[in-house]
Amino acid sequence: MERKAIFSAKVGLLFLAPALVFVAIFLLYPFVRVFMLSFTNQTLLGTTAPNPDWVGLDNYQRLFDFDRWMRLGEFGSALKITAQFVAGSALIGQVGLGLLIAWAFYRKKGVLRETVYTLVILAWIIPETVVAFTWVAFLDWEFGTLNAILGTLGLGRPDWLFKHPLESIILFNSWRGAAFSMLLFSSALETIPPSYIETAEVAGANAWQKFRDIFFPLLRGHILTDLILITLWTFNVFTPYLLTGGGPIKKTELVSIYTYRTAFQGQHEFGKGGAIAVVMMLINFSLAIVYLSMIRRRKA
Amino acid sequence: MSKSRLVLTFLLAFSLMIAAFGVAAPARAQDGPVTLTITCRCVAGGVNNNLVVWLTTYVFPTFEKMMADQGRDVKVELVEFGGSDEQLKEQYALDLSVGSGYDVMSFDGFWVPEFVGAGLLKPLEEVAGSEVNDWEGWGHITPGIQAILGYQGQVYGLPMGTDVRQIFYRNDLFQQAGIEVPWQPTSWEELLDTARTLKDAGVAIPIQLNAGTPMGEATTMQGWFMALLGAGHHMYDFDQHKWIVSSQSILDALNLYKTIYVDEELGDARMQLLQDGRNRSFVEFRDGNVGMLVEGDWFWRSVIAPGSETGIENRNEIVSWAKMPAKEPGAGYNGQDFVTISGGTGWVINPNTKNAAEAWALLSYMSSEDPARAFELMQPRISFRDDVPVAGDPVMTAMAEALLPLTTVRPMLPEYPQVSIEAQLMTERVVSGEMSPEEAMQAFDDAVTELVGEANVIRLPLN
């Protein structure tokens, strides 16, 4: 039997209208504008500012000039660094760490759990600039807290932001964002009936077996959702700029930082910046499609 | 659901949005009190502290009184900016492009063509009217100095002064290493030998020649140009109106960097590649860890001036200066033995100002004889007015006399700042060891050719 809708489609549309207007003005319009911009040589400064020319696919060709695109500071290099950053800090860092913490405190209560959860969530909610500032101080070669600790333990004093800049921002972003995964996984874990675990325990399953045969299959959907969300966010994150400025020698220049440097520094090349934005949107879009199709498959 | 209700809903949604964002137009007070805003890269107790002191204790009170005497109620507010020059430029570009910004803005001369090209700056005459031309000051500022904030025959602001560049060295470290002072190298080899001697004597950082993108224009002016001009040519061929993107001189200059930072580690490459490198170089110099630092006279008169943030109390005993030598005597730009380059800063009036007349009154007053002299007394520097001499600093006077005849300037072209960034990147790639001088020059060639077009570049034969 077909369920009778409370509202007609027209009324539904009416309720949606304000949202649609907002989407059109703040999402669709800028998108179209950026798309158009990416075919011009529009800048903010210089003579191409008042009189931009239509340059066709020039900006895209400049981005994908394969003779040089893997040079540090070029688009290919930025993509590669972003991929490493996402793999390190999103997949291994945030999802892995979040899952580990959630699992470690599964069905546990007490001071330790509360302390860890509070600290992890604190790392997540402190404003970005404050966090970045403390991390610069934490990682400083000469005076940083980390090296003071490592030095005392006789583990050497690595020059983090200079010699290991990518590792530094991966570490930073893992620390920064693990809270979301942790919260998501700990609430997902709550949904697993305790009897499953108890049965497994009676059968003599060890921790790994329990994880492999009970937790993982039941959490798979959540892990997938989390992975995709975290990947999308991490792909677009800009905060590492506050730690390294994209350097040294552009070794931490993520695509977001590359976009910023192109469109908002120097001559402010809006045209080329637009082209980067379009490519980024396409990448985000394909990630989102993967995400949506996976969700759909799960429901089917 | 009728159509009119749908339309009504849309209208409601729109009006809500408009209400939410507000469309309050800034009101202009014609007769009431006027508040002018002025901004500069200056912070009380920090960078360019002298400028803050001069503006707030001398210029503002006397100007406000002068205005009051004329029956005009004008107040001036200083907006301090603590970021880098590059960040200030970003701020200006964004402010001006949306029709906003402060009334009077400190401005680096080489930004002018880019801003004018974009229509973000207007000639003084257009902003403040023809009374600008009646100002007494024009007769006391030479055309060369007027051109600091000029472009294609128009003047966009008033200059504050020009500068020169040289090597600053520490007498104490030199004596400790057994090097005779006063010291003046006549070739790069001599310069490097001195650095080697300092290194052997245990000086942590014998020489620092600016490189890398984090230092921005400081790299181009105090580093790249000082090396390139000494190797024989300018960045731009002023006769053929073309950019020189490949030459033996470029390679020689890059090899000087390579010797200093990579091969012999006479300088600290780390400092050149990290974000706050320039301030670090000031601190290290103050603390006696840097033997020689190539810098502009601003370093002398502001950065290490006694009482400033990185000041050296007995500056005049501890610090001396020397001219930057060409690679070999006579091998420099225009066949010179020594090289230097000048920039210049000043003030522009925001074309979006609501109070152009008052802004011009302030600017022209600031740039008149008495205030200029008052600033000279706080910070002796190469003056922009011929009736205001460098006051009471023989070192500054000597630098000006020795170096102004040798100096050159950057090409005043809208493309220059972009080419400059590519030059910074080229030095960065060499001092980090990421590329060889040949590879870095090729990358520079690629990038500049893309920027200005094949028709506007030349390549000189390599040896």
Side-chain angles (χ1 to χ4, degrees):
Chain A
M1 191 187 91
E2 200 181 320
R3 222 172 61 190
K4 179 101 173 68
I6 303 170
F7 300 116
S8 70
K10 267 187 184 167
V11 178
L13 207 63
L14 178 72
F15 280 116
L16 275 177
L20 288 177
V21 169
F22 263 83
V23 167
I25 291 177
F26 294 106
L27 220 65
L28 223 53
Y29 171 72
F31 178 82
V32 173
R33 184 97 167 74
V34 165
F35 190 69
M36 301 297 281
L37 210 56
S38 75
F39 297 103
T40 70
N41 61 0
Q42 172 90 57
T43 53
L44 182 61
L45 295 176
T47 44
T48 40
N51 307 305
D53 299 314
W54 185 262
V55 295
L57 290 171
D58 240 31
N59 290 321
Y60 293 93
Q61 275 166 1
R62 283 168 70 196
L63 288 183
F64 295 98
D65 177 352
F66 292 110
D67 289 340
R68 45 193 263 217
W69 88 314
M70 286 313 292
R71 272 180 202 159
L72 289 170
E74 298 282 347
F75 188 53
S77 157
L79 278 178
K80 183 180 149 203
I81 291 167
T82 309
Q84 291 170 327
F85 178 70
V86 169
S89 76
L91 306 191
I92 302 171
Q94 296 190 10
V95 178
L97 193 64
L99 187 59
L100 198 72
I101 300 173
W103 188 46
F105 290 101
Y106 173 58
R107 290 208 296 172
K108 291 200 178 76
K109 295 224 155 27
V111 181
L112 186 63
R113 179 189 185 277
E114 297 310 317
T115 314
V116 170
Y117 269 52
T118 309
L119 288 177
V120 173
I121 291 169
L122 260 184
W124 191 41
I125 59 169
I126 300 172
E128 312 238 291
T129 39
V130 179
V131 164
F133 189 77
T134 51
W135 268 74
V136 169
F138 180 64
L139 293 174
D140 188 83
W141 185 32
E142 294 141 297
F143 309 109
T145 321
L146 182 59
N147 277 359
I149 297 169
L150 293 177
T152 315
L153 297 174
L155 295 171
R157 306 175 76 92
D159 192 350
W160 293 102
L161 290 172
F162 187 58
K163 291 276 172 62
H164 312 284
L166 186 58
E167 291 90 327
S168 295
I169 62 167
I170 287 175
L171 194 67
F172 160 76
N173 199 49
S174 305
W175 172 88
R176 170 84 175 146
F180 177 80
S181 302
M182 182 191 79
L183 291 174
L184 190 139
F185 289 133
S186 58
S187 57
L189 283 168
E190 299 293 322
T191 65
I192 297 177
S195 61
Y196 289 17
I197 313 295
E198 284 153 13
T199 313
E201 274 163 3
V202 170
N206 64 25
W208 167 243
Q209 286 168 329
K210 275 189 281 177
F211 181 79
R212 189 192 58 194
D213 296 330
I214 300 173
F215 290 111
F216 187 70
L218 289 172
L219 289 182
R220 195 156 47 195
H222 298 96
I223 293 177
L224 195 67
T225 309
D226 190 56
L227 265 179
I228 302 279
L229 282 176
I230 298 276
T231 305
L232 272 173
W233 292 338
T234 309
F235 187 78
N236 297 303
V237 80
F238 185 72
T239 324
Y241 180 82
L242 302 174
L243 262 76
T244 64
I249 54 165
K250 318 277 185 283
K251 276 184 184 166
T252 54
E253 189 165 88
L254 304 169
V255 177
S256 57
I257 297 174
Y258 179 69
T259 316
Y260 172 70
R261 188 164 65 85
T262 307
F264 295 104
Q265 292 187 318
Q267 208 173 26
H268 300 246
E269 291 182 77
F270 290 159
K272 190 178 170 195
I276 305 168
V278 168
V279 175
M280 275 183 87
M281 274 192 276
L282 289 176
I283 296 174
N284 281 327
F285 202 55
S286 28
L287 284 174
I289 287 176
V290 172
Y291 170 60
L292 290 174
S293 65
M294 279 176 163
I295 294 224
R296 222 158 263 163
R297 199 176 311 154
R298 254 175 57 214
K299 281 187 181 155
Chain B
M1 165 99 205
S2 70
K3 215 173 196 170
S4 62
R5 295 252 313 263
L6 198 68
V7 171
L8 200 71
T9 317
F10 271 105
L11 275 177
L12 189 73
F14 270 115
S15 53
L16 271 176
M17 266 164 44
I18 288 164
F21 287 92
V23 273
R28 147 114 225 235
Q30 281 287 351
D31 307 304
V34 167
T35 303
L36 284 176
T37 49
I38 180 169
T39 189
C40 52
R41 181 176 168 235
C42 57
V43 174
V47 66
N48 290 323
N49 175 51
N50 278 339
L51 208 48
V52 179
V53 175
W54 175 64
L55 286 171
T56 52
T57 64
Y58 183 95
V59 174
F60 295 174
T62 47
F63 174 71
E64 283 167 6
K65 183 169 178 306
M66 191 178 95
M67 287 285 107
D69 291 345
Q70 293 173 20
R72 285 196 274 175
D73 186 359
V74 181
K75 290 270 171 294
V76 193
E77 270 174 21
L78 173 65
V79 182
E80 298 178 4
F81 186 88
S84 68
D85 286 320
E86 283 68 27
Q87 288 164 336
L88 183 63
K89 185 187 168 199
E90 271 177 68
Q91 181 78 56
Y92 286 168
L94 295 171
D95 278 353
L96 291 173
S97 68
V98 294
S100 161
Y102 304 108
D103 297 320
V104 180
M105 307 180 290
S106 73
F107 218 78
D108 203 317
F110 83 100
W111 298 343
V112 171
E114 253 189 328
F115 279 75
V116 172
L120 298 178
L121 281 185
K122 298 263 180 304
L124 269 183
E125 202 180 342
E126 211 174 293
V127 178
S130 58
E131 65 183 85
V132 165
N133 300 321
D134 305 333
W135 184 49
E136 57 76 36
W138 296 118
H140 291 286
I141 306 175
T142 63
I145 301 281
Q146 287 181 23
I148 288 174
L149 292 179
Y151 178 51
Q152 295 182 333
Q154 295 279 5
V155 173
Y156 294 83
L158 292 184
M160 198 162 33
T162 181
D163 54 10
V164 286
R165 279 153 187 84
Q166 58 262 290
I167 308 166
F168 289 97
Y169 63 92
R170 289 194 58 121
N171 295 322
D172 52 349
L173 298 180
F174 271 53
Q175 278 155 359
Q176 185 188 312
I179 304 162
E180 204 176 312
V181 289
W183 163 86
Q184 175 60 63
T186 56
S187 69
W188 285 358
E189 207 42 49
E190 253 181 73
L191 180 71
L192 292 170
D193 275 338
T194 306
R196 290 174 191 125
T197 311
L198 286 167
K199 191 178 185 182
D200 292 342
V203 173
I205 306 165
I207 182 168
Q208 206 64 17
L209 178 67
N210 287 356
T213 50
M215 284 201 193
E217 193 63 11
T219 285
T220 316
M221 288 297 268
Q222 275 90 262
W224 179 241
F225 263 122
M226 297 298 273
L228 181 66
L229 291 168
H233 67 67
H234 207 286
M235 214 185 248
Y236 187 73
D237 186 317
F238 289 91
D239 297 326
Q240 299 186 51
H241 301 288
K242 286 175 200 284
W243 298 92
I244 304 171
V245 291
S246 174
S247 74
Q248 188 59 43
S249 299
I250 296 179
L251 275 185
D252 289 347
L254 290 174
N255 273 306
L256 176 65
Y257 273 107
K258 186 163 172 276
T259 307
I260 292 176
Y261 289 107
V262 182
D263 296 343
E264 302 191 27
E265 297 190 357
L266 300 167
D268 182 3
R270 184 176 188 273
M271 201 192 282
Q272 297 305 140
L273 300 172
L274 288 178
Q275 289 306 297
D276 55 345
R278 198 166 182 211
N279 286 335
R280 277 172 197 253
S281 75
F282 297 160
V283 170
E284 297 289 351
F285 189 90
R286 177 196 67 191
D287 295 346
N289 298 322
V290 176
M292 299 177 270
L293 179 64
V294 186
E295 260 294 346
D297 65 75
W298 178 68
F299 177 73
W300 171 266
R301 64 184 148 82
S302 182
V303 176
I304 55 168
S308 84
E309 202 182 0
T310 44
I312 299 175
E313 284 319 307
N314 47 352
R315 175 191 67 179
N316 290 28
E317 291 141 51
I318 293 223
V319 184
S320 295
W321 64 277
K323 292 176 282 186
M324 179 73 181
K327 186 167 179 261
E328 277 126 28
Y333 180 54
N334 289 335
Q336 288 170 197
D337 298 339
F338 301 98
V339 293
T340 188
I341 185 164
S342 297
T345 57
W347 307 90
V348 299
I349 298 181
N350 187 336
N352 309 313
T353 181
K354 303 274 188 292
N355 305 298
E358 289 82 1
W360 168 249
L362 173 65
L363 181 55
S364 55
Y365 171 70
M366 279 162 59
S367 312
S368 58
E369 192 182 344
D370 288 341
R373 185 164 290 128
F375 189 68
E376 271 296 330
L377 293 173
M378 291 179 193
Q379 188 193 99
R381 66 171 296 178
I382 303 170
S383 171
F384 62 97
R385 287 185 68 107
D386 60 11
D387 51 355
V388 180
V390 179
D393 184 353
V395 177
M396 196 61 235
T397 310
M399 280 193 270
E401 279 171 4
L403 295 170
L404 282 179
L406 298 174
T407 202
T408 179
V409 291
R410 288 166 281 198
M412 281 295 257
L413 295 167
E415 300 82 33
Y416 168 76
Q418 289 290 92
V419 178
S420 170
I421 291 172
E422 291 302 331
Q424 294 155 25
L425 195 55
M426 174 164 62
T427 61
E428 179 169 294
R429 287 165 164 162
V430 170
V431 305
S432 64
E434 186 210 344
M435 285 189 187
S436 69
E438 287 78 11
E439 289 166 338
M441 183 167 79
Q442 184 59 52
F444 175 74
D445 184 338
D446 293 345
V448 176
T449 306
E450 185 185 287
L451 276 171
V452 303
E454 183 65 37
N456 296 311
V457 300
I458 42 174
R459 300 180 181 87
L460 305 179
L462 306 180
N463 294 343

Tab-separated table of all heavy atoms in Angstrom, chain B residues 432-460:
chain	number	residue	atom	x	y	z
B	432	SER	N	69.006	25.093	-0.832
B	432	SER	CA	68.494	23.896	-0.169
B	432	SER	C	69.143	22.638	-0.730
B	432	SER	O	68.946	21.552	-0.201
B	432	SER	CB	66.981	23.810	-0.363
B	432	SER	OG	66.695	23.658	-1.736
B	433	GLY	N	69.888	22.802	-1.821
B	433	GLY	CA	70.505	21.645	-2.454
B	433	GLY	C	69.548	20.845	-3.316
B	433	GLY	O	69.893	19.791	-3.844
B	434	GLU	N	68.324	21.353	-3.483
B	434	GLU	CA	67.322	20.625	-4.250
B	434	GLU	C	67.680	20.589	-5.739
B	434	GLU	O	67.399	19.614	-6.429
B	434	GLU	CB	65.954	21.299	-4.061
B	434	GLU	CG	64.811	20.547	-4.690
B	434	GLU	CD	63.693	21.480	-5.144
B	434	GLU	OE1	63.667	22.650	-4.706
B	434	GLU	OE2	62.880	21.045	-5.962
B	435	MET	N	68.302	21.667	-6.219
B	435	MET	CA	68.669	21.720	-7.636
B	435	MET	C	70.093	22.249	-7.768
B	435	MET	O	70.580	22.979	-6.907
B	435	MET	CB	67.741	22.676	-8.397
B	435	MET	CG	66.361	22.136	-8.661
B	435	MET	SD	65.486	23.264	-9.787
B	435	MET	CE	63.852	22.535	-9.749
B	436	SER	N	70.723	21.904	-8.886
B	436	SER	CA	72.019	22.491	-9.201
B	436	SER	C	71.761	23.880	-9.766
B	436	SER	O	70.640	24.177	-10.202
B	436	SER	CB	72.729	21.629	-10.247
B	436	SER	OG	72.046	21.753	-11.478
B	437	PRO	N	72.779	24.753	-9.790
B	437	PRO	CA	72.576	26.087	-10.381
B	437	PRO	C	72.018	26.007	-11.805
B	437	PRO	O	71.140	26.796	-12.173
B	437	PRO	CB	73.978	26.687	-10.357
B	437	PRO	CG	74.623	26.060	-9.164
B	437	PRO	CD	74.095	24.652	-9.133
B	438	GLU	N	72.483	25.046	-12.587
B	438	GLU	CA	72.000	24.925	-13.973
B	438	GLU	C	70.509	24.590	-14.005
B	438	GLU	O	69.746	25.175	-14.761
B	438	GLU	CB	72.788	23.842	-14.731
B	438	GLU	CG	74.219	24.220	-15.092
B	438	GLU	CD	75.186	24.108	-13.913
B	438	GLU	OE1	74.793	23.544	-12.855
B	438	GLU	OE2	76.323	24.587	-14.033
B	439	GLU	N	70.110	23.635	-13.168
B	439	GLU	CA	68.694	23.242	-13.134
B	439	GLU	C	67.824	24.392	-12.642
B	439	GLU	O	66.739	24.643	-13.164
B	439	GLU	CB	68.503	22.034	-12.203
B	439	GLU	CG	69.074	20.740	-12.738
B	439	GLU	CD	69.165	19.665	-11.647
B	439	GLU	OE1	69.185	20.016	-10.444
B	439	GLU	OE2	69.243	18.486	-12.007
B	440	ALA	N	68.321	25.095	-11.619
B	440	ALA	CA	67.536	26.194	-11.050
B	440	ALA	C	67.358	27.307	-12.071
B	440	ALA	O	66.280	27.903	-12.186
B	440	ALA	CB	68.212	26.719	-9.790
B	441	MET	N	68.438	27.576	-12.841
B	441	MET	CA	68.335	28.621	-13.865
B	441	MET	C	67.343	28.202	-14.950
B	441	MET	O	66.563	29.022	-15.436
B	441	MET	CB	69.701	28.924	-14.477
B	441	MET	CG	69.667	30.058	-15.484
B	441	MET	SD	71.292	30.663	-15.937
B	441	MET	CE	71.814	29.414	-17.096
B	442	GLN	N	67.356	26.923	-15.302
B	442	GLN	CA	66.407	26.429	-16.300
B	442	GLN	C	64.962	26.594	-15.813
B	442	GLN	O	64.080	27.045	-16.554
B	442	GLN	CB	66.690	24.953	-16.619
B	442	GLN	CG	65.823	24.369	-17.723
B	442	GLN	CD	65.999	25.141	-19.029
B	442	GLN	OE1	67.120	25.340	-19.500
B	442	GLN	NE2	64.894	25.607	-19.619
B	443	ALA	N	64.751	26.286	-14.533
B	443	ALA	CA	63.409	26.416	-13.967
B	443	ALA	C	62.980	27.885	-13.940
B	443	ALA	O	61.816	28.217	-14.198
B	443	ALA	CB	63.361	25.831	-12.559
B	444	PHE	N	63.933	28.768	-13.644
B	444	PHE	CA	63.665	30.219	-13.641
B	444	PHE	C	63.310	30.672	-15.054
B	444	PHE	O	62.334	31.397	-15.275
B	444	PHE	CB	64.932	30.937	-13.144
B	444	PHE	CG	64.875	32.443	-13.195
B	444	PHE	CD1	64.110	33.149	-12.275
B	444	PHE	CD2	65.604	33.150	-14.143
B	444	PHE	CE1	64.068	34.545	-12.304
B	444	PHE	CE2	65.567	34.540	-14.185
B	444	PHE	CZ	64.798	35.235	-13.263
B	445	ASP	N	64.098	30.218	-16.010
B	445	ASP	CA	63.855	30.525	-17.426
B	445	ASP	C	62.440	30.095	-17.830
B	445	ASP	O	61.658	30.896	-18.358
B	445	ASP	CB	64.937	29.785	-18.252
B	445	ASP	CG	64.856	30.099	-19.740
B	445	ASP	OD1	63.779	30.508	-20.203
B	445	ASP	OD2	65.871	29.904	-20.437
B	446	ASP	N	62.090	28.857	-17.509
B	446	ASP	CA	60.745	28.347	-17.837
B	446	ASP	C	59.657	29.245	-17.254
B	446	ASP	O	58.707	29.638	-17.936
B	446	ASP	CB	60.525	26.939	-17.249
B	446	ASP	CG	61.412	25.894	-17.903
B	446	ASP	OD1	61.974	26.191	-18.973
B	446	ASP	OD2	61.540	24.789	-17.340
B	447	ALA	N	59.821	29.540	-15.964
B	447	ALA	CA	58.753	30.249	-15.255
B	447	ALA	C	58.625	31.694	-15.734
B	447	ALA	O	57.514	32.190	-15.960
B	447	ALA	CB	59.005	30.213	-13.752
B	448	VAL	N	59.760	32.374	-15.903
B	448	VAL	CA	59.695	33.787	-16.317
B	448	VAL	C	59.204	33.892	-17.758
B	448	VAL	O	58.419	34.787	-18.092
B	448	VAL	CB	61.067	34.484	-16.132
B	448	VAL	CG1	61.019	35.909	-16.657
B	448	VAL	CG2	61.460	34.480	-14.663
B	449	THR	N	59.655	32.966	-18.603
B	449	THR	CA	59.181	32.990	-19.984
B	449	THR	C	57.662	32.824	-20.025
B	449	THR	O	56.962	33.502	-20.783
B	449	THR	CB	59.864	31.870	-20.799
B	449	THR	OG1	61.267	32.011	-20.659
B	449	THR	CG2	59.495	31.962	-22.268
B	450	GLU	N	57.153	31.947	-19.170
B	450	GLU	CA	55.702	31.768	-19.115
B	450	GLU	C	55.010	33.042	-18.639
B	450	GLU	O	53.952	33.419	-19.143
B	450	GLU	CB	55.367	30.604	-18.171
B	450	GLU	CG	53.892	30.265	-18.144
B	450	GLU	CD	53.578	29.190	-17.100
B	450	GLU	OE1	53.934	28.029	-17.338
B	450	GLU	OE2	52.997	29.531	-16.069
B	451	LEU	N	55.647	33.732	-17.698
B	451	LEU	CA	55.052	34.949	-17.140
B	451	LEU	C	55.017	36.103	-18.138
B	451	LEU	O	54.004	36.786	-18.276
B	451	LEU	CB	55.860	35.418	-15.926
B	451	LEU	CG	55.563	34.800	-14.582
B	451	LEU	CD1	56.615	35.235	-13.568
B	451	LEU	CD2	54.189	35.250	-14.107
B	452	VAL	N	56.159	36.371	-18.786
B	452	VAL	CA	56.253	37.592	-19.589
B	452	VAL	C	56.191	37.316	-21.088
B	452	VAL	O	56.077	38.257	-21.877
B	452	VAL	CB	57.539	38.386	-19.258
B	452	VAL	CG1	57.591	38.719	-17.778
B	452	VAL	CG2	58.783	37.628	-19.681
B	453	GLY	N	56.298	36.054	-21.472
B	453	GLY	CA	56.239	35.719	-22.896
B	453	GLY	C	57.617	35.633	-23.530
B	453	GLY	O	58.530	36.371	-23.157
B	454	GLU	N	57.741	34.726	-24.472
B	454	GLU	CA	59.027	34.475	-25.135
B	454	GLU	C	59.603	35.744	-25.764
B	454	GLU	O	60.817	35.952	-25.795
B	454	GLU	CB	58.826	33.369	-26.193
B	454	GLU	CG	60.064	32.928	-26.934
B	454	GLU	CD	61.111	32.248	-26.051
B	454	GLU	OE1	60.718	31.497	-25.135
B	454	GLU	OE2	62.311	32.476	-26.274
B	455	ALA	N	58.728	36.629	-26.241
B	455	ALA	CA	59.202	37.834	-26.925
B	455	ALA	C	59.885	38.803	-25.967
B	455	ALA	O	60.601	39.707	-26.406
B	455	ALA	CB	58.027	38.527	-27.611
B	456	ASN	N	59.671	38.635	-24.683
B	456	ASN	CA	60.208	39.599	-23.720
B	456	ASN	C	61.369	39.078	-22.888
B	456	ASN	O	61.668	39.626	-21.845
B	456	ASN	CB	59.086	40.072	-22.782
B	456	ASN	CG	58.021	40.816	-23.538
B	456	ASN	OD1	58.327	41.705	-24.324
B	456	ASN	ND2	56.778	40.428	-23.340
B	457	VAL	N	61.977	37.979	-23.333
B	457	VAL	CA	63.138	37.468	-22.595
B	457	VAL	C	64.337	37.363	-23.531
B	457	VAL	O	64.188	37.245	-24.752
B	457	VAL	CB	62.866	36.066	-21.979
B	457	VAL	CG1	61.697	36.133	-21.015
B	457	VAL	CG2	62.625	35.023	-23.051
B	458	ILE	N	65.524	37.449	-22.934
B	458	ILE	CA	66.735	37.152	-23.704
B	458	ILE	C	67.605	36.190	-22.917
B	458	ILE	O	67.560	36.151	-21.682
B	458	ILE	CB	67.571	38.410	-24.066
B	458	ILE	CG1	67.659	39.363	-22.874
B	458	ILE	CG2	67.046	39.076	-25.303
B	458	ILE	CD1	68.594	40.522	-23.142
B	459	ARG	N	68.390	35.429	-23.669
B	459	ARG	CA	69.327	34.487	-23.055
B	459	ARG	C	70.711	34.840	-23.559
B	459	ARG	O	70.916	34.940	-24.766
B	459	ARG	CB	68.965	33.045	-23.430
B	459	ARG	CG	67.558	32.672	-22.959
B	459	ARG	CD	67.139	31.259	-23.302
B	459	ARG	NE	65.783	31.038	-22.812
B	459	ARG	CZ	64.686	31.338	-23.504
B	459	ARG	NH1	64.781	31.844	-24.725
B	459	ARG	NH2	63.485	31.154	-22.981
B	460	LEU	N	71.638	35.046	-22.630
B	460	LEU	CA	72.992	35.408	-23.015
B	460	LEU	C	73.829	34.133	-23.100
B	460	LEU	O	73.561	33.163	-22.392
B	460	LEU	CB	73.598	36.371	-21.990
B	460	LEU	CG	72.778	37.648	-21.726
B	460	LEU	CD1	73.462	38.514	-20.673
B	460	LEU	CD2	72.596	38.439	-23.021
